[in-house]
Every structure is written in C-alpha cells, then in structure tokens.
Amino acid sequence: MVAGFLNGPMGCGGMGFNRWGLLLREWLKKGNVMQQSAKGYILLVDDEPTITRYMQKALERKGYNTDFARNGNEALIKIRKNRPDLVVSDVMMPEMDGFDLLGVIRRDPALMDLPVLMLTARPADFGYDDNARMQQWFATTAGTETEGYLVKPVNPELLIKAVEHILSTAQVKSQQGGLGLPQSQSVD
C-alpha cells in the first residue's frame, strides 16, 4: 500500500469549510493557476457540493479535467460512459457509498486497475486513528484496497500531491503492463 501522506490523516483535521476556502484562496494566490492542457480526467464523488466545488477548483487550476457525481450509482454511470484516470470518492454517501463503489470497481475486470483515492471526514470516529488501522478498515469494509485516503476537508496542496503521485504511479504501472499500485511503494 502507498505509505506516507496518502495513507495518513492528512486533511485539515477538524478544520471547517471556511478555513478550507481560505487555504484554497492562499494557494491560488501563490501562482497556482490553470495550465493550458489537461493532465488527466478525475471523477470526484461526494454528496457535499461545497467540498466537490473546492476540489474541482483546485484540480482544474492545475490543469485537470474534472466531473462529479453525488453517489456511487451516479459515479458508475459516469465511469462506464467516460472512464476517468482517477476516482476521488467520499466514504459516506446516500444510495451507494464509497465502500460499495470501490468494491464494484475492483471486481469489474474492465475497471479493476482504475485508481481510487478515498476521502473520509472523521476516521477517529470509527476508532481508526493511525495509518495501518485505517487502511485495514478500508480493505475490510470494501473487501479490497484503495490507493490511499485523505481526511476531509482536504488541504488543496495535499490533494494535488496525492493526485499527481497516484496518476504518475498508475502511468508507470500501465507502461509495465501491471495492474494497480505496488504494495511497498512509499511517498517521501
């Protein structure tokens, strides 16, 4: 499993949405502006429109194309219509939650190598406050593994770092003919 910031609770802790918005504005002021060509297509899956808009804005400013879905069912329709390079999914959503979405993706031969980054609002609420236990929780609950997780609301710089790492790793694996991410890779 990917170690380091991807598996750690590296969001903004208990920070509210207003604080997240301030972080995004400061980040954008530092010259993080929209690039000319898209780096990839990312599907954001979350039932909270405010969080989705913040993530879309941060990713689009870095040159990524994005789309969003409000739940796992809507995400699967969009994934099958236009396969993204990465899915960033919340855990708790109506209709089909992130665990079920991840399970469907991993069991579908056409999608099993699709990278998925999970988002969770409060892992400590579930009794999982360290990296290894949190990854075990995802694997046990979804029946499969994810490329990592971030805690919501996510700091935009960490989101971009996670996305760039996952996409570059997935590209290397694809060129080598492998599926998914290597179990022992770590982020420095």
Side-chain angles (χ1 to χ4, degrees), residues 2 7 17 40 56 72 89 127 129 139 147 150 154 163 165 172 181:
V2 179
N7 289 342
F17 296 120
Q56 275 188 299
S89 178
D129 53 0
E147 275 62 39
L150 295 173
V154 180
V163 165
H165 174 77
V172 168
L181 296 176

Side-chain angles (χ1 to χ4, degrees), residues 109-129:
L111 301 175
M112 65 178 19
D113 62 338
L114 178 62
V116 179
L117 175 65
M118 300 297 285
L119 304 175
T120 183
R122 302 165 100 169
D125 286 357
F126 300 102
Y128 299 98
D129 53 0

